Each structure stands twice: as structure tokens, then as C-alpha cells.
Amino acid sequence: MLVVHCNLQAQSSRDRAKFHKAMQLQSRSRYAQAAKLHEKYLLKSTDWESKWNLALCYGKLGQIDDRERLLTDLVFSKPDEPDFQLELAELLKRQGKYEAAKTWFEKYAERGPDSVAARRQAGICADALVLRKDSLGYQVGRISGVNSAQDDVLPYLEGNALFFVSGRSGKPALWRAPRAADGSLGKPMLSKVTADGLSKGMNMSLADGLKPSASKAAASLASSTLAGTQGISQVCVSPNGKFKISAFELKDGFGGMDLYVAYWENGSWTPFANLGAEVNSAANEAFPYLSSDSILFFSSDRSEGMGGYDIYAAECFGEHWFNVRHEGAPLNSSFDDFGLCMLAAQPQGYFASNRPGGMGGSDVMNFRRFKVVEAQVVDADSYLPLPGTRVEVIDINQQHHIYKTDAEGRFKHVVRAGQELFAQLFHADYHDLNQNITVRFIGFDQNLRVTIPMDPIKRHVLQGVVTDAKTKVALEGVTVRLVGQKDFRSLTGRKGSYTQVLQPATYYRAIYYLQGYVPQILEFTTGTEATPQTLTQNVALRKGGFHYLEGRAVDTERDIVVGGATIHFLDGKTLAEQKTQTVGPDGMFFKVLEADQDYTIIASKGKYLSARMVVPAATDRADTLLSDMALVPLMPDKVIKTVYFPYKSSTIDEAGFRDVAEVVYLLKSNPNIGLELSAFTDARGGANYNKLLSQKRADALAAYIAAQGIEPSRIKSFGRGEEQLFNNCSDGVNCSEELHGQNRRAEIRIVRM
């Protein structure tokens, strides 16, 4: 406790006299009078020493809210005094305000002398928050008509009645409340039952006048001083009568009261033996109750609980006790919760608690226990736990409950309705899993413990080293881009190495690029998951100029990508095809082009018009070209291209050849269509001459298309002469050469075969 040395500021002698008088009263434990003087003194002063002493008085008087208010004021007004922080943290913890208590324990740990203990207390508060939130399936209620303004404790079920100790008659005595078939309790009355008249399974001696120890136990509990139970005989016998468990404070224990076990052998009881460190702690363990031959409930005031005495459970296998667990909220609180008993073969029972809201002192409360699924999710191959797994549980009422497994791969679900559950489990590295869980055959006071294995996704791995093609030096910081089902990037390390995980049965484009170097693109497809591989791709990058082309084939009418389209890369001058590339389902294409060459790029696919783009030559360039190739769905009987001719000539110009190349790929991608070529002239010259010239133009165009591998029967050519002028430049009209040129054309129209 903080020791305060008075160092009063200069104040009036009358005010100082009030302070000294208050301190004298406080030293004689006259806290109410001392508090009044401190309050009057603080009306004219902000002295922190008086505030601290007033807080002490409030604590002695049970004015917890006032004490908390003053301590909060002190920690903010005196941030350099860590002891105030510790006092506030401990007070908040005792009130069950674990979040705020955790904060102040952590602040104290930053500057206080006992930072290790403070951090431990902060951890206990964090655990208490989880315990309070993560119930083990209890529903708690208060009992009307049974409790009194005095302590009502130590409930025990015998026959059709609930026995308990109460101080309502002026001294602790055994009372009996009849219990109806529907579970309701009648009016309590003093019991005439003796200790010998109660069954051997009773969890402790009860009332004054039965045994000397009973009077002491009841008296101490009636005053809510659980520490007074130390040294008092508490005992419960297993339902099969083969062992009994008792609470003692002995020198060979772990500290305070411990639980001991004795066995019935050869007609007598063996000496008591300590249950060991699995159950006992340096604090007090008391109030044992065996709900079955293998389930032990007890209460303990160990510091890792929620506050005061809390109820715990342990399991037995042979003679070994293990799996001690805190029974969570709402069965436990930040106050004293103890003395649990249960109905035979039913998930219901009673316990005592001095939590606020009761009749006064400790009250007998009832509870119902729901079934709980405690599951651990593990790797199906190694059985190692899988933390961070998302679990979605759907109950019989179609209510969804979402959990995430902890560091040990565990999650809990309280079954509040029905007997069957459906769970879906998701983990990034494992196959999704659907799991049906039944709780139909769980014992009434046990949790269903299940292990759920998940099958790992067996992935392929891409690895390698990137170097300079000339110097062979490893290149750090090279971007390795993987385009598959997703688009993912990583960088090479100091030794130029990289490693990336791949999805099975997936088509990939691996793109390697670093500023100043020509990118490289590798294409590959992974095998099935059943045969995972490690693929090694060592890449050498060279310096130089380039065009990096990246784009998509898209349906502009429906605004969707077009998978399976073919991208043709042609020499921009000769229109000779250099390479083709088929896009995947994502419609994406990637290509590194030489910087000093012209390119014509055409995209084609069945049931679509072809699309074209031109990439001009540019030396010493390092451009990234992003372009979508717009594919328009086929519409027969529509003019798709218009080719223009010089005056009095049937020669196709350079632009016309590019248009025709696009048409050729359209025909190759769509074998069920043909072309109708209609050629025209301008109005100058005679009509017969123009008719012959236009037919010559149509035939020249048809011959060129057929020469590119198109069946001639798919092409029909017509010379229209000057019949259908594009503009009004008819005979006798003075027009520019540009306007006349618009009429010297050949229209390419799609027709069905």
C-alpha cells in the first residue's frame, strides 16, 4: 500500500487543522468521520494527499464508486506516481472491469517497480475478458422465495428437497426447500435432518449443532468470508462409493487449502493424498463436488480467475486428474461463486454467489448447462493444429455462428438448440470442409471433444535465380509477376533468387522485369494437385530497348473478356506473321517487342470481327503499351472494311494491305462466312471504262485475299463502276482530289455461306 508523507501547501491554519483531525480519526478506524473532514478540506484544496486518504476511507466504508472516482482523478493529476495506477487497476479488477484494469496494469508495468507482476495481472484481465465472453454453456438465474437478506449458501440436493445453510434465523442453520416435479422450490423451513441423515455424497458439513466444524464453516460463510473455511472439513463421495475428495489446509500442500483424495479399499479408506498440481494451486481450492465418477467441480480463488472464488471443473482417468478448466461466465463472476451441486443425470443445479443484485450477502442461484462442442482443427497429414481457421456453424434454427480457431486450432460452440450442427471450415492453405456434428450422445455434464482434420492443398512451387545475361551477376529487386488465377508480384532477393507458390492445373504467365532490362515472359501450366512439382526457371535478363505490350481481348458489346482469342504479331512492313499467341480464360496477352521494328497486331476469334493495332518502330525505347483489343460480334450483311485505290489504278496501297490482313484472319477464324467485294470508281471518265476498272479492282482484291489461303469460292467480287458515289461529286461537279478519292473504293461486306 502506498505510504503518504504529508507535505501540505501553505494554507490557513483552520484548513490544516481539518486535515490533521481527519488523519487522527482515520488512524483510529473512524472512517466515516474522517471522510467527512477530508471532504470539507477538499472543498478548498486540491491536495492529492487528502484525496488519497479519502479514497482509503471510501474503501473501508464500501463506497467503491467514490473510491474509483478519486483514484481516477489521482492517476491523471499525478501521472508520475505509478502506485496510484496500481491501486486503480486492482480496484477495477475487483469490480470486474477487466478492460480498464488491463490498461492500468500495463501503464503501471511501464514505470512501476514490480512490472513482471503487473504484466501478469494484465494477462489475467485479458483472460478474464475471454472467460466472460466465451461461456462454456451455462445459463444462470436467481431463485425467488428462497433467499433472504442474510447469507444463503452451500446448496445440496437430497431426495425431493434443496438443503442449504442460511443465517436468516440469527445464526447459521440448515434449511430445507421442497422441490416440485417441475423444478420449482417451495417455502424454506428449518430442517430437522441430521448430518447422518443426509447421503454420503453431500459436499460438506452444514449446520450449527451437527458437528463442531460445521458451525465454524457455516458461520464463516454466513459472513461471506470464504477464507474462513480454511481448516474446515469439506468432503464429497463419488457416486460409485469408491473414492472421496476433501479440502484441507496441510503442510504438504501447494498453499492455502488443497483438494485430497482417498480410496475405499478392503473395507476401509486409504490415507488422503494430494490431487497434485494439475488441480491445486498456491491459492485455495475448496467446495469439491463429484457430479459423476469422472467429473469434479470445485471452487478456487486463484488469481487467474475472474475474481474471488470461481468454479472450475476437472476430469479423471484412472487415478489421474487432468484438463482443469474455468467454467466461464455467466456461472462465474468477479465476485465469489462456489458450492456447486447438480441434479442426477440432468444438466441443472445450484450454486452460491455474492454477486450484486441479490437479496443480500450470498444467495443460492440456479443454473442450466447447455452442451458444448470443443473442437480442434488439425492438418489431416501431420495432425498439427491449424490456428486462424474460419469456422461457420449453422444450428437447427439456421442461426449462423462464426469463430476463428486459436493458437492451438481450437474453437468452442454452445449448443443451445437441437442435437445436430453443420459446420463449414475455411483455411487459405487447405480445402474447404463441410462437417456434420451430432451432440445426441454427449453426457449431461461433459463437452463433446472432436478433432476435425482438414486436407492441405498440395501446391506447385516456382523457383529460380535471375541474373544479368552479360555479366552473369545475380539481380536483386527484379519483379517476378505471376499471372494465373490471380495476379501476384514478388521481388528477387540479394542473391537474385525467388520462390512462389502455384495453384495446381493453372495456366501461368511469369513476367520478369527490372528497369533498364528487356523483360522476359515465360508460359507454363501446372499439373494436378495429386502430383505437386517444384519448377525451376533461371532467367537471364539483357539490357536494351523494347516495347512491352500488355492487353486484353474484350467483347465491347457485352463488356466481357474474350478467352481463347488469337493474337497475331505481324511484321509492320511485310505483314508476314512472326508469332501467334492464344489468350487464356482471362483474355490477357503479354508480349515483348523489339524496339526498332514496326508491328501490326491483329486479334481474331470465331463469331467476332477481327481487331487491329499498329506499333511503330522506336529505337532505344522502353515503353509499356497497355491496350485492349476490341472484338465486335459478327453482324452479316454489314460493311466491315473499305479499301481505297489511286486514280485509274487497281493497286492496293499499304493501308489497304493492313485492312485486308485483318479481313483474312477474320475469314480464317470464321469458316462459315464469306465476302462480297463491291468496287467503285469516281465519276470522271466514261461509264464503260469505269465499269471495267471497278471490276478489275474487285478482282485484284479477291485474288490477293485468296492468295492468303482463303478458298476462292468464299469470295464474290462485283465491279459497280460509278453507280454508287459516296458523295455528290458526279459528272460536271467541280470537286477536289480528296473528294474524288472517297469514291475510288472497294467495300468488303460479310455474307453467310
mmCIF file of all heavy atoms in Angstrom, residues 468-492:
data_model
loop_
_atom_site.group_PDB
_atom_site.id
_atom_site.type_symbol
_atom_site.label_atom_id
_atom_site.label_comp_id
_atom_site.label_asym_id
_atom_site.label_seq_id
_atom_site.Cartn_x
_atom_site.Cartn_y
_atom_site.Cartn_z
ATOM 1 N N ASP A 468 22.104 -11.104 -64.734
ATOM 2 C CA ASP A 468 22.418 -10.262 -65.882
ATOM 3 C C ASP A 468 22.975 -11.175 -66.979
ATOM 4 O O ASP A 468 23.922 -11.924 -66.749
ATOM 5 C CB ASP A 468 23.438 -9.198 -65.488
ATOM 6 C CG ASP A 468 23.731 -8.225 -66.620
ATOM 7 O OD1 ASP A 468 24.236 -8.666 -67.664
ATOM 8 O OD2 ASP A 468 23.478 -7.020 -66.431
ATOM 9 N N ALA A 469 22.389 -11.115 -68.190
ATOM 10 C CA ALA A 469 22.785 -12.044 -69.256
ATOM 11 C C ALA A 469 24.241 -11.882 -69.658
ATOM 12 O O ALA A 469 24.886 -12.842 -70.089
ATOM 13 C CB ALA A 469 21.879 -11.841 -70.467
ATOM 14 N N LYS A 470 24.784 -10.676 -69.511
ATOM 15 C CA LYS A 470 26.160 -10.432 -69.940
ATOM 16 C C LYS A 470 27.156 -10.678 -68.822
ATOM 17 O O LYS A 470 28.161 -11.378 -69.005
ATOM 18 C CB LYS A 470 26.291 -8.993 -70.457
ATOM 19 C CG LYS A 470 27.669 -8.666 -71.020
ATOM 20 C CD LYS A 470 27.690 -7.253 -71.610
ATOM 21 C CE LYS A 470 29.053 -6.929 -72.219
ATOM 22 N NZ LYS A 470 29.074 -5.565 -72.799
ATOM 23 N N THR A 471 26.910 -10.140 -67.650
ATOM 24 C CA THR A 471 27.881 -10.239 -66.548
ATOM 25 C C THR A 471 27.670 -11.478 -65.686
ATOM 26 O O THR A 471 28.532 -11.809 -64.874
ATOM 27 C CB THR A 471 27.781 -8.998 -65.649
ATOM 28 O OG1 THR A 471 26.493 -8.983 -65.009
ATOM 29 C CG2 THR A 471 27.957 -7.724 -66.471
ATOM 30 N N LYS A 472 26.512 -12.123 -65.821
ATOM 31 C CA LYS A 472 26.141 -13.293 -65.002
ATOM 32 C C LYS A 472 25.962 -12.953 -63.515
ATOM 33 O O LYS A 472 25.869 -13.847 -62.673
ATOM 34 C CB LYS A 472 27.180 -14.413 -65.131
ATOM 35 C CG LYS A 472 27.587 -14.743 -66.554
ATOM 36 C CD LYS A 472 26.387 -15.168 -67.383
ATOM 37 C CE LYS A 472 26.809 -15.524 -68.810
ATOM 38 N NZ LYS A 472 25.662 -15.822 -69.689
ATOM 39 N N VAL A 473 25.912 -11.671 -63.189
ATOM 40 C CA VAL A 473 25.734 -11.248 -61.805
ATOM 41 C C VAL A 473 24.256 -11.389 -61.416
ATOM 42 O O VAL A 473 23.359 -11.060 -62.202
ATOM 43 C CB VAL A 473 26.198 -9.787 -61.613
ATOM 44 C CG1 VAL A 473 25.872 -9.287 -60.208
ATOM 45 C CG2 VAL A 473 27.681 -9.679 -61.893
ATOM 46 N N ALA A 474 23.994 -11.872 -60.197
ATOM 47 C CA ALA A 474 22.621 -12.014 -59.710
ATOM 48 C C ALA A 474 21.968 -10.640 -59.580
ATOM 49 O O ALA A 474 22.605 -9.670 -59.142
ATOM 50 C CB ALA A 474 22.606 -12.727 -58.365
ATOM 51 N N LEU A 475 20.716 -10.532 -59.967
ATOM 52 C CA LEU A 475 19.989 -9.269 -59.950
ATOM 53 C C LEU A 475 18.983 -9.258 -58.801
ATOM 54 O O LEU A 475 18.048 -10.070 -58.761
ATOM 55 C CB LEU A 475 19.258 -9.058 -61.270
ATOM 56 C CG LEU A 475 20.145 -8.906 -62.514
ATOM 57 C CD1 LEU A 475 19.291 -8.784 -63.771
ATOM 58 C CD2 LEU A 475 21.066 -7.695 -62.373
ATOM 59 N N GLU A 476 19.195 -8.331 -57.872
ATOM 60 C CA GLU A 476 18.277 -8.164 -56.753
ATOM 61 C C GLU A 476 17.177 -7.190 -57.138
ATOM 62 O O GLU A 476 17.386 -6.245 -57.898
ATOM 63 C CB GLU A 476 19.028 -7.630 -55.535
ATOM 64 C CG GLU A 476 18.159 -7.414 -54.311
ATOM 65 C CD GLU A 476 18.928 -6.828 -53.137
ATOM 66 O OE1 GLU A 476 20.143 -6.588 -53.287
ATOM 67 O OE2 GLU A 476 18.308 -6.605 -52.073
ATOM 68 N N GLY A 477 15.966 -7.384 -56.601
ATOM 69 C CA GLY A 477 14.867 -6.449 -56.822
ATOM 70 C C GLY A 477 14.157 -6.611 -58.148
ATOM 71 O O GLY A 477 13.376 -5.736 -58.545
ATOM 72 N N VAL A 478 14.395 -7.727 -58.849
ATOM 73 C CA VAL A 478 13.655 -7.985 -60.081
ATOM 74 C C VAL A 478 12.210 -8.324 -59.716
ATOM 75 O O VAL A 478 11.951 -9.136 -58.824
ATOM 76 C CB VAL A 478 14.289 -9.147 -60.867
ATOM 77 C CG1 VAL A 478 13.458 -9.469 -62.115
ATOM 78 C CG2 VAL A 478 15.723 -8.816 -61.255
ATOM 79 N N THR A 479 11.259 -7.692 -60.382
ATOM 80 C CA THR A 479 9.860 -8.018 -60.154
ATOM 81 C C THR A 479 9.517 -9.308 -60.890
ATOM 82 O O THR A 479 9.715 -9.413 -62.100
ATOM 83 C CB THR A 479 8.939 -6.891 -60.639
ATOM 84 O OG1 THR A 479 9.226 -5.708 -59.896
ATOM 85 C CG2 THR A 479 7.475 -7.253 -60.436
ATOM 86 N N VAL A 480 9.008 -10.268 -60.143
ATOM 87 C CA VAL A 480 8.532 -11.522 -60.725
ATOM 88 C C VAL A 480 7.011 -11.499 -60.607
ATOM 89 O O VAL A 480 6.458 -11.599 -59.518
ATOM 90 C CB VAL A 480 9.117 -12.747 -59.995
ATOM 91 C CG1 VAL A 480 8.628 -14.036 -60.663
ATOM 92 C CG2 VAL A 480 10.641 -12.689 -59.993
ATOM 93 N N ARG A 481 6.370 -11.358 -61.752
ATOM 94 C CA ARG A 481 4.911 -11.248 -61.770
ATOM 95 C C ARG A 481 4.316 -12.556 -62.293
ATOM 96 O O ARG A 481 4.692 -13.019 -63.368
ATOM 97 C CB ARG A 481 4.482 -10.084 -62.654
ATOM 98 C CG ARG A 481 2.972 -9.897 -62.744
ATOM 99 C CD ARG A 481 2.648 -8.772 -63.701
ATOM 100 N NE ARG A 481 1.217 -8.619 -63.893
ATOM 101 C CZ ARG A 481 0.664 -7.866 -64.844
ATOM 102 N NH1 ARG A 481 1.456 -7.174 -65.672
ATOM 103 N NH2 ARG A 481 -0.636 -7.795 -64.974
ATOM 104 N N LEU A 482 3.424 -13.126 -61.530
ATOM 105 C CA LEU A 482 2.747 -14.362 -61.921
ATOM 106 C C LEU A 482 1.290 -14.051 -62.216
ATOM 107 O O LEU A 482 0.561 -13.588 -61.344
ATOM 108 C CB LEU A 482 2.825 -15.402 -60.802
ATOM 109 C CG LEU A 482 4.062 -16.295 -60.762
ATOM 110 C CD1 LEU A 482 3.961 -17.261 -59.596
ATOM 111 C CD2 LEU A 482 4.220 -17.071 -62.050
ATOM 112 N N VAL A 483 0.884 -14.318 -63.443
ATOM 113 C CA VAL A 483 -0.500 -14.091 -63.828
ATOM 114 C C VAL A 483 -1.136 -15.452 -64.075
ATOM 115 O O VAL A 483 -0.789 -16.150 -65.034
ATOM 116 C CB VAL A 483 -0.605 -13.211 -65.084
ATOM 117 C CG1 VAL A 483 -2.072 -12.944 -65.414
ATOM 118 C CG2 VAL A 483 0.143 -11.907 -64.882
ATOM 119 N N GLY A 484 -2.026 -15.849 -63.166
ATOM 120 C CA GLY A 484 -2.753 -17.109 -63.296
ATOM 121 C C GLY A 484 -4.189 -16.868 -62.912
ATOM 122 O O GLY A 484 -4.864 -16.006 -63.473
ATOM 123 N N GLN A 485 -4.652 -17.616 -61.906
ATOM 124 C CA GLN A 485 -5.991 -17.334 -61.381
ATOM 125 C C GLN A 485 -6.012 -15.966 -60.702
ATOM 126 O O GLN A 485 -7.044 -15.313 -60.641
ATOM 127 C CB GLN A 485 -6.398 -18.429 -60.395
ATOM 128 C CG GLN A 485 -6.528 -19.801 -61.037
ATOM 129 C CD GLN A 485 -6.860 -20.876 -60.011
ATOM 130 O OE1 GLN A 485 -7.089 -20.599 -58.834
ATOM 131 N NE2 GLN A 485 -6.873 -22.116 -60.450
ATOM 132 N N LYS A 486 -4.854 -15.555 -60.174
ATOM 133 C CA LYS A 486 -4.695 -14.234 -59.595
ATOM 134 C C LYS A 486 -3.441 -13.596 -60.180
ATOM 135 O O LYS A 486 -2.631 -14.254 -60.821
ATOM 136 C CB LYS A 486 -4.592 -14.321 -58.070
ATOM 137 C CG LYS A 486 -5.850 -14.853 -57.385
ATOM 138 C CD LYS A 486 -5.694 -14.873 -55.873
ATOM 139 C CE LYS A 486 -6.954 -15.368 -55.189
ATOM 140 N NZ LYS A 486 -6.805 -15.391 -53.707
ATOM 141 N N ASP A 487 -3.296 -12.313 -59.950
ATOM 142 C CA ASP A 487 -2.127 -11.559 -60.411
ATOM 143 C C ASP A 487 -1.282 -11.236 -59.184
ATOM 144 O O ASP A 487 -1.703 -10.484 -58.311
ATOM 145 C CB ASP A 487 -2.594 -10.281 -61.106
ATOM 146 C CG ASP A 487 -1.478 -9.624 -61.911
ATOM 147 O OD1 ASP A 487 -0.300 -9.787 -61.536
ATOM 148 O OD2 ASP A 487 -1.784 -8.942 -62.898
ATOM 149 N N PHE A 488 -0.072 -11.851 -59.090
ATOM 150 C CA PHE A 488 0.740 -11.733 -57.884
ATOM 151 C C PHE A 488 2.150 -11.304 -58.249
ATOM 152 O O PHE A 488 2.706 -11.754 -59.257
ATOM 153 C CB PHE A 488 0.768 -13.075 -57.147
ATOM 154 C CG PHE A 488 1.554 -13.043 -55.866
ATOM 155 C CD1 PHE A 488 1.023 -12.467 -54.722
ATOM 156 C CD2 PHE A 488 2.836 -13.576 -55.801
ATOM 157 C CE1 PHE A 488 1.752 -12.416 -53.542
ATOM 158 C CE2 PHE A 488 3.563 -13.533 -54.632
ATOM 159 C CZ PHE A 488 3.016 -12.955 -53.503
ATOM 160 N N ARG A 489 2.750 -10.436 -57.420
ATOM 161 C CA ARG A 489 4.106 -9.951 -57.663
ATOM 162 C C ARG A 489 4.990 -10.186 -56.443
ATOM 163 O O ARG A 489 4.530 -10.092 -55.317
ATOM 164 C CB ARG A 489 4.092 -8.449 -57.989
ATOM 165 C CG ARG A 489 3.450 -8.095 -59.317
ATOM 166 C CD ARG A 489 3.267 -6.581 -59.443
ATOM 167 N NE ARG A 489 2.808 -6.162 -60.750
ATOM 168 C CZ ARG A 489 1.553 -6.200 -61.150
ATOM 169 N NH1 ARG A 489 0.615 -6.632 -60.324
ATOM 170 N NH2 ARG A 489 1.220 -5.793 -62.366
ATOM 171 N N SER A 490 6.259 -10.460 -56.709
ATOM 172 C CA SER A 490 7.261 -10.546 -55.648
ATOM 173 C C SER A 490 8.586 -10.062 -56.224
ATOM 174 O O SER A 490 8.710 -9.823 -57.433
ATOM 175 C CB SER A 490 7.392 -11.983 -55.123
ATOM 176 O OG SER A 490 7.863 -12.844 -56.136
ATOM 177 N N LEU A 491 9.583 -9.896 -55.348
ATOM 178 C CA LEU A 491 10.896 -9.400 -55.758
ATOM 179 C C LEU A 491 11.964 -10.441 -55.481
ATOM 180 O O LEU A 491 11.870 -11.198 -54.504
ATOM 181 C CB LEU A 491 11.235 -8.102 -55.012
ATOM 182 C CG LEU A 491 10.284 -6.926 -55.214
ATOM 183 C CD1 LEU A 491 10.693 -5.768 -54.314
ATOM 184 C CD2 LEU A 491 10.267 -6.479 -56.673
ATOM 185 N N THR A 492 12.989 -10.458 -56.338
ATOM 186 C CA THR A 492 14.115 -11.350 -56.076
ATOM 187 C C THR A 492 14.926 -10.819 -54.904
ATOM 188 O O THR A 492 14.988 -9.615 -54.649
ATOM 189 C CB THR A 492 15.022 -11.476 -57.307
ATOM 190 O OG1 THR A 492 15.492 -10.171 -57.673
ATOM 191 C CG2 THR A 492 14.277 -12.094 -58.475
#
